[in-house]
Amino acid sequence: MSARRSSRRSRVGAPCSWRREAGLAAIRDAGLEPYDIDGLVTYTVDENDELTLVRALGIPEVHYWARSPGSGYGACATVQLAAGAITSGAADAVLIYRAFNERSGRRFGQPFGTRSGRAPLDFHFTYGIDTPAKMYALWFRRYMHEYGISNEDFGRYVVAARRYAATNPNAWFYQRPITIADHQASRWIVEPVLRLLDCCQESDGGVALVVTSAERVTDTPSPVAVAGAVDAHVQGTSIMHNYYLPDLAGFPDAERCAARLWQQTGLTADEIDVAEIYENFSPLALLVLEAFGFCGRGEAASYIATGAIDIDGELPVNTHGGLLGEAYIHGMNTLLEGVRQVRGTATNQVAGVEHALVSSLSSAVILARP
Amino acid sequence: MSARRSSRRSRVGAPCSWRREAGLAAIRDAGLEPYDIDGLVTYTVDENDELTLVRALGIPEVHYWARSPGSGYGACATVQLAAGAITSGAADAVLIYRAFNERSGRRFGQPFGTRSGRAPLDFHFTYGIDTPAKMYALWFRRYMHEYGISNEDFGRYVVAARRYAATNPNAWFYQRPITIADHQASRWIVEPVLRLLDCCQESDGGVALVVTSAERVTDTPSPVAVAGAVDAHVQGTSIMHNYYLPDLAGFPDAERCAARLWQQTGLTADEIDVAEIYENFSPLALLVLEAFGFCGRGEAASYIATGAIDIDGELPVNTHGGLLGEAYIHGMNTLLEGVRQVRGTATNQVAGVEHALVSSLSSAVILARP
């Protein structure tokens, strides 16, 4: 797998140009040409038409295309799809992409309106739970209650993420670190759960990656192996939140991802050198750390407080600054940072990375040296 | 693979009930229970939410979900996706489904409005090409011109399809065969290409199928093997039509599907015993017969005129009556008829079927005895 993000800063532009720019960069980065690509994968929410992309990139023919149902929680699921296409012989080289104008176009953080067109969301809209922040906060609130977690605890994760972003020239918040006091001074979005600085950005941009077979990467300057890729959706969970299960303070989908990844790869949490975690809201970093067993249930706040997720810590987390600090390219940039860490080319490079975990809520991958 | 359609006649009802009814029937038909299912596949245009379906069916956990980008042309692509999920180990048993209220809800045959939200379609809408019939007719017209094909030639296919429907109690047009005179008396939809009887129905309904591994079908009373499954999209084609390629009178995507299927299975056109072909408009049956080499380019009309596609012909085609005669369940019922023919349980059963070809425009499968 190899990968490239299209541009470093948010700007107004058609998704069409992002996806083409990112797509071409990823293909070239993989040592391939557009005519080598015969598979396409993205999310169902992506608004770029496959056939238009095929023309824009000069891909002669596609033999596999698929979309992961939904949005950013499928970032790692796209790798599962692409890897499955390769393994089953449906395609030789799959381009994964996600491009959108989320700041200059439709802003995800704004109220969705009275109807989303999606049944389970509409049930909540009726009660005014009409933004991602509100939807997630209801779930996070239970987590706070159960384990005595405060918003300041979330803030300590944000300070760590912004520290990484501050040294990442690709990050929106480059050279703009924050203190816990800055975090606590930011306005409430959903009191007493989420402040402004707990919420990810709304960004314009595109990211693309290429997945191909081990046999094909001979031309790839710096390939990264997909050691494992999983997707997990437990009945009763909703991707956006956990409202209905007996254990409201946990994250069952992520727990199942962890269990399946350990099973698939034979690895354990101890063998993960760096973790890149999709966090459209800061508490998700804590919930995912617990779900993967990097610390016990309810212990992520103190784990973070000890400096465990910092660059010299036990498990550096979101070394690009996360979705909060770098940009919100729907988790695809989270995946990209995992690729960079294994390659050894990250701005905030962790020494000797053998295995990088990338988690995007209900899907996850482990990237490894080939 | 095993399969079941939910209901025999169109009626008003929530897609939710169709998909559950069809899903449960398919799972039971496969000798499985909902807890055996851990994968879900449908089209991106399907409006049923995966997590709601998981609850409705009682599926404990899903490890793979994907959508084929677009609509009915992905009917066979869903099998490629599901089979890839099984082969790659992502899932053990995948439920494929498509359920909609296309008659009582949004009618596909009506003008799309000024914008579809999908770039390539919008280019044509500007010129008033705003219904599927108009979009396809422009392409079919070139085919007619190139080979001297008349609307009456299309009519002969329709008469054959309606003859099959007339003896299929599941068909909307059960016991209602037509003559070529009836066809020629039906009103023009797009003169001089398509008459009313050349256009498929708008139907309400749901179809579901289960794809699982060869090892798992021990509990399946009547399994069918997926001998091959392909998807093909050539640059410059549009799924709905062929406007831009030098060869406007052919069907490049279907030709590539054929080439890949023969390569994948080692079979030839001569070894296909029955063909079920997605025909939202009658000319597609002709174009696909030619693309797969059952007859030469421009020869499908005379091939059909000789009775080749009838029940006692060389290659019975659309033995359920097709989308024109049975119902338009977006090609999933076309797939279902392929399953029935291999099982030997079709209403218009062809004797000794070893291999059934199912074509859904840009994707195709060959089903075989296990």
Side-chain angles (χ1 to χ4, degrees), chain A residues 135-196:
Chain A
M135 290 179 229
Y136 279 97
L138 207 61
W139 170 33
F140 298 151
R141 186 73 190 90
R142 181 69 191 190
Y143 172 71
M144 295 168 79
H145 169 79
E146 198 78 38
Y147 299 111
I149 306 295
S150 70
N151 173 264
E152 202 173 326
D153 290 319
F154 299 150
R156 269 181 282 273
Y157 162 75
V158 182
V159 169
R162 290 289 295 271
R163 192 181 300 127
Y164 284 120
T167 53
N168 172 10
N170 278 332
W172 180 256
F173 288 117
Y174 178 50
Q175 296 179 331
R176 287 186 281 174
I178 59 163
T179 63
I180 192 73
D182 294 330
H183 178 272
Q184 289 296 296
S186 74
R187 67 184 168 87
W188 284 115
I189 299 299
V190 183
E191 188 178 359
V193 184
L194 299 172
R195 292 181 183 274
L196 180 66

Side-chain angles (χ1 to χ4, degrees), chain A residues 59-71:
Chain A
I59 295 169
E61 194 175 325
V62 170
H63 302 130
Y64 176 95
W65 64 19
R67 292 188 172 218
S68 179
S71 55

Side-chain angles (χ1 to χ4, degrees), chain B residues 21-287:
Chain B
E21 196 178 328
L24 264 184
I27 293 166
R28 297 271 157 74
D29 178 272
L32 299 175
E33 292 295 331
Y35 55 73
D36 294 310
I37 301 297
D38 63 350
L40 297 174
V41 176
T42 186
Y43 312 147
T44 53
V45 298
D46 190 272
E47 292 179 358
N48 296 293
D49 175 72
E50 278 84 354
L51 289 170
T52 312
L53 179 60
V54 158
R55 272 176 191 250
L57 286 173
I59 294 169
E61 195 175 324
V62 169
H63 302 130
Y64 175 96
W65 65 20
R67 291 187 174 219
S68 179
S71 55
Y73 48 86
C76 294
T78 63
V79 178
Q80 187 195 39
L81 292 173
I86 306 296
T87 308
S88 65
D92 291 324
V94 178
L95 182 70
I96 295 172
Y97 62 97
R98 172 68 177 127
F100 62 174
N101 289 335
E102 200 225 344
R103 175 163 287 273
S104 60
R106 186 170 76 81
R107 296 180 63 169
F108 287 17
Q110 302 301 308
F112 283 31
T114 49
R115 284 188 64 85
S116 70
R118 201 172 167 200
L121 295 182
D122 287 338
F123 299 154
H124 315 133
F125 287 178
T126 313
Y127 301 97
I129 304 178
D130 61 355
T131 66
K134 293 183 198 174
M135 291 179 227
Y136 279 96
L138 207 60
W139 170 34
F140 298 152
R141 187 72 190 89
R142 181 71 191 188
Y143 171 72
M144 295 168 79
H145 168 78
E146 199 77 38
Y147 299 112
I149 306 296
S150 69
N151 173 264
E152 201 173 328
D153 288 321
F154 299 150
R156 269 182 281 273
Y157 162 75
V158 183
V159 169
R162 291 289 296 271
R163 192 181 299 127
Y164 285 120
T167 53
N168 171 11
N170 278 332
W172 180 255
F173 287 118
Y174 178 51
Q175 295 178 332
R176 286 186 281 175
I178 59 163
T179 63
I180 193 72
D182 293 331
H183 178 272
Q184 289 296 297
S186 73
R187 67 184 169 88
W188 284 113
I189 299 299
V190 183
E191 188 178 359
V193 185
L194 300 172
R195 294 181 182 275
L196 180 67
L197 295 183
D198 292 304
C199 304
C200 74
Q201 307 172 65
E202 293 170 304
S203 312
D204 290 5
V207 169
L209 302 96
V210 173
V211 178
T212 188
S213 62
E215 295 73 42
R216 285 293 296 278
V217 294
T218 46
D219 295 332
T220 304
S222 186
V224 165
V226 179
V230 296
D231 198 8
H233 307 277
V234 177
Q235 189 198 134
T237 54
S238 180
I239 300 143
M240 288 280 207
H241 29 66
N242 172 2
Y243 288 174
Y244 304 113
L245 292 174
D247 179 9
L248 285 170
F251 194 173
D253 285 355
E255 285 167 19
R256 294 297 300 140
C257 280
R260 288 180 65 80
L261 267 185
W262 306 147
Q263 185 185 25
Q264 203 173 83
T265 61
L267 295 168
T268 64
D270 289 343
E271 292 168 276
I272 301 299
D273 304 304
V274 61
E276 312 299 346
I277 300 173
Y278 185 108
E279 27 67 283
N280 40 354
F281 300 103
S282 59
L284 286 165
L286 285 74
L287 280 157

Side-chain angles (χ1 to χ4, degrees), chain A:
Chain A
M1 190 161 81
S2 85
R4 192 69 70 88
R5 177 151 148 256
S6 70
S7 187
R8 74 176 54 176
R9 286 295 171 91
S10 176
R11 64 170 190 192
V12 178
C16 181
S17 87
W18 289 123
R19 75 188 169 187
R20 184 178 180 278
E21 197 178 328
L24 264 184
I27 293 166
R28 296 272 156 74
D29 179 272
L32 300 175
E33 292 296 332
Y35 56 72
D36 294 311
I37 301 296
D38 63 350
L40 297 174
V41 176
T42 186
Y43 312 148
T44 53
V45 298
D46 190 272
E47 291 178 359
N48 296 292
D49 174 71
E50 278 84 356
L51 288 171
T52 311
L53 179 60
V54 158
R55 273 177 190 250
L57 286 174
I59 295 169
E61 194 175 325
V62 170
H63 302 130
Y64 176 95
W65 64 19
R67 292 188 172 218
S68 179
S71 55
Y73 48 85
C76 295
T78 63
V79 178
Q80 187 195 39
L81 291 173
I86 305 296
T87 308
S88 65
D92 291 325
V94 178
L95 182 70
I96 295 173
Y97 62 97
R98 172 68 177 127
F100 60 174
N101 289 336
E102 202 225 343
R103 174 162 290 271
S104 60
R106 186 170 75 81
R107 297 180 62 171
F108 287 19
Q110 302 302 308
F112 284 29
T114 48
R115 283 188 64 84
S116 69
R118 202 172 165 200
L121 295 181
D122 287 339
F123 299 154
H124 315 133
F125 287 177
T126 313
Y127 301 97
I129 304 177
D130 60 356
T131 67
K134 293 182 198 174
M135 290 179 229
Y136 279 97
L138 207 61
W139 170 33
F140 298 151
R141 186 73 190 90
R142 181 69 191 190
Y143 172 71
M144 295 168 79
H145 169 79
E146 198 78 38
Y147 299 111
I149 306 295
S150 70
N151 173 264
E152 202 173 326
D153 290 319
F154 299 150
R156 269 181 282 273
Y157 162 75
V158 182
V159 169
R162 290 289 295 271
R163 192 181 300 127
Y164 284 120
T167 53
N168 172 10
N170 278 332
W172 180 256
F173 288 117
Y174 178 50
Q175 296 179 331
R176 287 186 281 174
I178 59 163
T179 63
I180 192 73
D182 294 330
H183 178 272
Q184 289 296 296
S186 74
R187 67 184 168 87
W188 284 115
I189 299 299
V190 183
E191 188 178 359
V193 184
L194 299 172
R195 292 181 183 274
L196 180 66
L197 295 181
D198 293 303
C199 304
C200 73
Q201 307 171 66
E202 291 169 307
S203 312
D204 289 4
V207 169
L209 302 97
V210 173
V211 178
T212 188
S213 62
E215 295 74 42
R216 285 293 297 278
V217 294
T218 46
D219 296 331
T220 303
S222 187
V224 165
V226 179
V230 296
D231 198 10
H233 307 277
V234 177
Q235 189 199 135
T237 54
S238 179
I239 299 143
M240 289 279 208
H241 28 65
N242 172 1
Y243 288 174
Y244 304 112
L245 292 173
D247 178 9
L248 284 170
F251 193 173
D253 285 354
E255 286 168 19
R256 293 298 298 139
C257 281
R260 288 180 65 81
L261 267 185
W262 307 145
Q263 185 185 26
Q264 205 173 82
T265 62
L267 296 167
T268 65
D270 289 343
E271 291 168 275
I272 300 299
D273 304 304
V274 61
E276 312 299 346
I277 299 172
Y278 185 108
E279 28 66 286
N280 41 354
F281 300 103
S282 59
L284 286 165
L286 286 74
L287 280 157
V288 170
L289 284 170
E290 295 176 15
F292 275 81
F294 294 114
C295 57
R297 287 285 299 273
E299 294 173 5
S302 51
Y303 183 74
I304 290 168
T306 65
I309 69 166
D310 299 334
I311 190 75
D312 53 357
E314 187 180 309
L315 180 77
V317 170
N318 287 343
T319 46
H320 54 140
L323 304 181
L324 269 66
E326 190 187 57
Y328 182 67
I329 316 295
H330 237 160
M332 284 289 181
N333 54 324
T334 313
L335 202 45
L336 207 55
E337 179 68 3
V339 172
R340 289 190 177 119
Q341 285 290 348
V342 175
R343 283 181 165 179
T345 60
T347 299
N348 300 306
Q349 182 63 46
V350 176
V353 171
E354 293 284 342
H355 300 110
L357 169 72
V358 183
S359 155
S360 52
L361 307 186
S362 52
S363 61
V365 302
I366 292 177
L367 304 174
R369 294 207 187 155

